[in-house]
Every structure is written in C-alpha cells, then in structure tokens.
Amino acid sequence: MKKLAVLVSGNGSNLQAIIDSTKCGILKNMAKVCLVVSNNANAYALERARNEAIKNLYIKWRAFEDDSFFDREILKQFQNLKIDIICLAGFNRILGKSVVKIFDGKILNIHPSLLPKFGGKGMYGRFVHEAVIQAGEKKSGSTVHFVDENYDTGKIIIQEAIDVLPEYTPNILAKKVLEIEHKIYPKAIKKIIEN
Ligand code: GRF
C-alpha cells in the first residue's frame, strides 16, 4: 500500500477524485491518502480531508518571513508519515529545491492544458482556458507530469485531450477539462506505482 500526500490550495475536486479512487476505484488496495496539506486556510480541500478523516494541515507559506518554512515543515511531515508519493492538486506554489531533490521522481502535478502548451509562470486556472480559446486551439486537455524545480516542465506521465468546440467559453472549457483530470490523475498515480 503506497502512502500518498496531496498538496492543495483550493477546491480540491482532484483530491476528492484521488480519495475516491483509493476507496472504490482503480487505486483500491494500492494507495491511501495519508496527508493533505494546504497553504490556504480556507481551502475547501481541507474540509474534504476532514470529512474523510484524513490528517490535514494548513501551513502558512511565508510564516516567519521565511520562504522555506513551508518546505521544511512538509518535509518533516512526509518523512514522519513515510510518504511514498506526493500529488500536487491545485497547489499554487512551486516546491523548494530540497523537497524536489529528496522526492525526485515521486512528486506529481496536474495542469489543465496539453503541456508544453499553455504552461509556465502565470498560466494557471482561468488564465489557461482564456489563452487556449484566444489562440483558437482546436484541442485542449490535461497533463499529469513529474515535478521539477520549474513550472510545468517535468516529464509527462499522462495527457488526455478534448475538442474545444466553437461555442466554448473559458468556464465551459474549465469544466470539461476538470472532468478529464478526475480520471487521469488516479491513472497516472497507478502508472507510477506499477512503474
Ligand atoms: C485543476 O484544474 C488543476 O489542473 C490545476 O488546478 C485545478 C485544481 O482544481 N492545477 P481542484 O482544486 O482540484 O478542484
């Protein structure tokens, strides 16, 4: 049984999809979410973790004016709980070098576009979907990739595309992409566990 930690900042629908897949989906008997960490005290994702009785923590990003406080704290938690895989799911920061190095090849992120298109700094949430529509793209989708020290540049694990229909607004596109994300994130985790 692999132990997962999920880092979040917002709604946590991907977190929920991962939890559900460990309870009654493709990750059943394979993985368990043991920790949820948010850098946003008001993230609904924390409520989801509480509802599932999963250990959950809010850790302030810039506590004590120290950029790496968050990294040091999560590292301690990951090591204490013997976490195997870290999933970034709507987490709005990049992780510090130390965490990335220690957990190299074990940190995953999900991004709401077909990377390398529409990735990088500032490309998150609605900005991605607005840019896709503005560029007149015929396809968009989602990508699960390994995390390195930069934004959205790590090796791709799984990618799935959908058609962008002419009538799509950024909101509609966001909704369609999220539906794919909920399917591919558990699949990507499974792939990593099975190697
Ligand atoms: C997803 O679209 C994900 O690709 C991006 O942030 C969003 C998170 O949504 N990184 P949720 O919090 O999982 O609902």
Side-chain angles (χ1 to χ4, degrees), residues 99-171:
V99 183
V100 174
K101 208 168 172 183
I102 292 169
F103 283 88
D104 184 35
K106 292 174 180 160
I107 313 177
L108 282 56
N109 180 45
I110 190 158
H111 183 81
S113 78
L114 297 173
L115 290 174
K117 282 186 163 183
F118 304 100
K121 202 160 191 253
M123 270 296 166
Y124 61 89
R126 68 183 170 89
F127 298 112
V128 175
H129 306 300
E130 281 170 7
V132 166
I133 286 175
Q134 190 112 46
E137 295 288 321
K138 297 274 176 286
K139 300 240 178 226
S140 190
S142 178
T143 306
V144 181
H145 63 93
F146 285 112
V147 169
D148 60 18
E149 285 164 25
N150 303 304
Y151 280 96
D152 308 325
T153 52
K155 193 169 169 252
I156 291 172
I157 302 163
I158 286 189
Q159 196 163 59
E160 197 171 311
I162 53 164
D163 292 326
V164 180
L165 302 181
E167 66 268 25
Y168 279 9
T169 61
N171 275 343

Side-chain angles (χ1 to χ4, degrees), residues 10-15 48 88-91 109-112 125 129 142 177-178 181-182:
N11 178 32
S13 69
N14 279 288
L15 164 68
R48 295 182 192 267
L88 275 49
F91 180 65
N109 180 45
I110 190 158
H111 183 81
H129 306 300
S142 178
V177 169
L178 253 192
E181 298 198 304
H182 299 160

Side-chain angles (χ1 to χ4, degrees), residues 72-87:
R72 284 205 307 274
E73 286 301 305
I74 55 171
L75 209 45
K76 262 192 255 165
Q77 294 290 336
F78 294 163
Q79 289 170 336
N80 285 345
L81 294 170
K82 299 198 167 30
I83 295 296
D84 297 297
I85 298 170
I86 300 154
C87 302

Side-chain angles (χ1 to χ4, degrees), residues 88-100:
L88 275 49
F91 180 65
N92 62 13
R93 297 280 179 174
I94 52 169
L95 290 176
K97 285 193 176 88
S98 53
V99 183
V100 174

